[in-house]
Amino acid sequence: MTATLIWILVALVAIGLYLSWTAGRLDRLHARIDATRAALDAQLLRRASVAQELATSGVLDPAASIVLYESAHAARQAEEEQREVAESDLSQALRAVFAEPQQVEGVREAPGGESAAHELTEAVRRVPMARRFHNDAVGAARRLREHRKVRWFRLAGHAPFPMAFEMDDEPPAALVDRAA
């Protein structure tokens, strides 16, 4: 009788430790999602800021400056629900403005244009990486949250279901090709 109780107690402790470990893992994944989202937000803000600076610098033609400035401003001011669309619009505006290598060369030849073009190139390269890291973390958390043990024992607590950040983040080919 006591041996059976001891084995039941050992089994319950093992199950408790396993559930505790799983809850800790899920908590770490949620913390990783928060960190990657902050990094993604920083890269998106940097890209929009650099685009706005370039639009107001006078090195672009007026039509391109207006398109780029308005898209960058909309991306910076977008509410969370509209953020993915606004960031995709900025990507499209960047591709439209820098569709041809001659436009990039024109920016580089202007005073201060070389550093502005370099900074924009770095910003548009980092956004897809930051988005990929964020979406990978979201995918890992979602896969763990789909397990029955997590749902049955409510190991996720009150944490919201993680959402991926889906946007058009393809950089302008003329910018990236020149830097590569």
Side-chain angles (χ1 to χ4, degrees), residues 63-172:
S65 292
I66 289 171
V67 167
L68 195 57
Y69 182 83
E70 286 180 355
S71 295
H73 181 71
R76 289 182 73 176
Q77 300 298 322
E79 296 292 325
E80 192 59 36
E81 304 84 40
Q82 299 299 318
R83 184 98 187 265
E84 293 171 349
V85 173
E87 294 294 346
S88 294
D89 290 345
L90 177 56
S91 294
Q92 292 168 2
L94 284 166
R95 283 197 306 272
V97 169
F98 297 107
E100 300 295 324
Q102 295 85 4
Q103 291 151 323
V104 176
E105 289 306 318
V107 169
R108 290 183 190 282
E109 292 169 1
E114 184 68 35
S115 65
H118 177 71
E119 196 171 344
L120 183 62
T121 300
E122 290 301 311
V124 299
R125 280 182 159 180
R126 289 180 180 163
V127 166
M129 287 188 292
R131 188 175 75 87
R132 195 171 313 120
F133 290 146
H134 173 70
N135 288 349
D136 287 348
V138 166
R142 282 181 165 189
R143 284 188 297 277
L144 184 58
R145 286 183 71 151
E146 288 172 356
H147 290 168
R148 275 187 237 142
K149 66 179 176 266
V150 173
R151 290 192 320 261
W152 288 351
F153 292 102
R154 300 173 194 245
L155 298 180
H158 297 289
F161 194 74
M163 301 301 291
F165 195 86
E166 297 299 332
M167 65 172 270
D168 174 8
D169 61 2
E170 184 180 337

